[in-house]
Amino acid sequence: IEDTKKNGLIFSSIYNPDTKINGFNEFIIGSDITKDLLPTYGSIQKLFTRDNDLLAFCEDKVVRIFADKDILYNADGNTQLTASNRVLGQAHPFEGEFGISKNPESFASESFRAYFTDKNRKAVLRISKDGITKISDYGMSDFFGDNMGAATVLLGSFDYDKQEYNITGTSGWQNAISFSEAVKGWTSFKSFGARMEYGISMSGDYYTFYKGE
């Protein structure tokens, strides 16, 4: 019987650098090696690791999962505390009814910030130390509200040279649109969005790709 788990994670044993023992190919059923999120969050579309946690971008929610450290919690309702050394610990959803819908390709990260879209709610979002911010409301809510629904692909990338998040949609709008943290707003439309299949920053330069070129 095949069971497709869209809202669960499974992880292997660890690699021990001291003993040189590699457990990446070991999945011991008797150990606690699974982490399930609430089905109401929708399927997991994107995983992103930060220093001390793992972000799970679901269709309708973004969840922070503490990773690779002890978490203290109340064990039995009193003041007694117990430590858990599980690889994946407690899961805390971010405030706000936002997810990444089914567009993980819209995700792009820079330092401690990450950007993504929620097509179901016609929103462009930023996740940072202060939580989730709906940056499409910075003067562009009408544009995204009118055009995002028709887009089949929402392609996001970050230009480290200009410090801008670029987002473009196929079958919606043709130009890439840039968001800048420096001015906290959307600065320009860029024509290369119509001929773009991927975008990436390397060694301080920003490259876009179309048909492998």
Side-chain angles (χ1 to χ4, degrees):
I1 298 175
E2 180 177 315
D3 183 19
T4 301
K5 299 189 67 173
K6 298 181 179 180
N7 62 312
L9 301 172
I10 184 170
F11 47 90
S12 70
S13 300
I14 64 173
Y15 170 76
N16 190 325
D18 296 325
T19 61
K20 307 299 182 183
I21 295 177
N22 185 0
F24 286 160
N25 64 339
E26 297 179 0
F27 295 86
I28 304 173
I29 298 177
S31 302
D32 187 8
I33 59 171
T34 61
K35 185 69 179 180
D36 292 318
L37 303 181
L38 292 178
T40 54
Y41 297 162
S43 62
I44 298 172
Q45 296 286 315
K46 170 74 178 178
L47 296 175
F48 178 65
T49 57
R50 301 194 299 187
D51 290 340
N52 297 316
D53 52 29
L54 174 71
L55 299 185
F57 291 80
C58 305
E59 292 180 60
D60 301 307
K61 205 73 170 177
V62 181
V63 182
R64 177 188 181 191
I65 305 172
F66 292 102
D68 196 23
K69 63 179 180 179
D70 290 347
I71 303 298
L72 294 178
Y73 64 95
N74 195 309
D76 53 8
N78 57 31
T79 57
Q80 180 182 0
L81 294 179
T82 303
S84 170
N85 59 358
R86 292 178 298 176
V87 174
L88 297 181
Q90 294 171 318
H92 292 279
F94 282 87
E95 293 185 3
E97 299 301 318
F98 294 109
I100 201 169
S101 296
K102 291 187 176 181
N103 299 101
E105 74 280 359
S106 68
F107 178 90
S109 65
E110 181 274 328
S111 185
F112 57 88
R113 290 185 288 259
Y115 304 86
F116 61 101
T117 65
D118 187 343
K119 180 180 176 181
N120 292 341
R121 295 159 186 84
K122 298 182 179 180
V124 184
L125 306 155
R126 176 191 64 214
I127 191 166
S128 186
K129 293 180 179 179
D130 58 352
I132 295 178
T133 302
K134 188 179 178 184
I135 59 175
S136 52
D137 280 352
Y138 295 172
M140 292 292 285
S141 58
D142 287 344
F143 174 86
F144 289 112
D146 293 340
N147 293 279
M148 188 174 288
T152 55
V153 175
L154 294 166
L155 182 61
S157 58
F158 193 84
D159 184 343
Y160 278 87
D161 180 37
K162 294 182 172 58
Q163 290 293 297
E164 292 177 337
Y165 170 66
N166 295 323
I167 181 70
T168 185
T170 60
S171 301
W173 65 90
Q174 292 298 308
N175 296 325
I177 308 171
S178 300
F179 177 84
S180 171
E181 291 289 347
V183 299
K184 291 293 188 292
W186 300 89
T187 57
S188 62
F189 287 85
K190 295 175 178 175
S191 60
F192 62 71
R195 296 173 58 85
M196 180 177 175
E197 294 174 346
Y198 191 66
I200 191 173
S201 289
M202 294 185 294
S203 302
D205 294 320
Y206 178 69
Y207 300 89
T208 61
F209 298 86
Y210 180 69
K211 293 185 177 180
E213 297 183 352

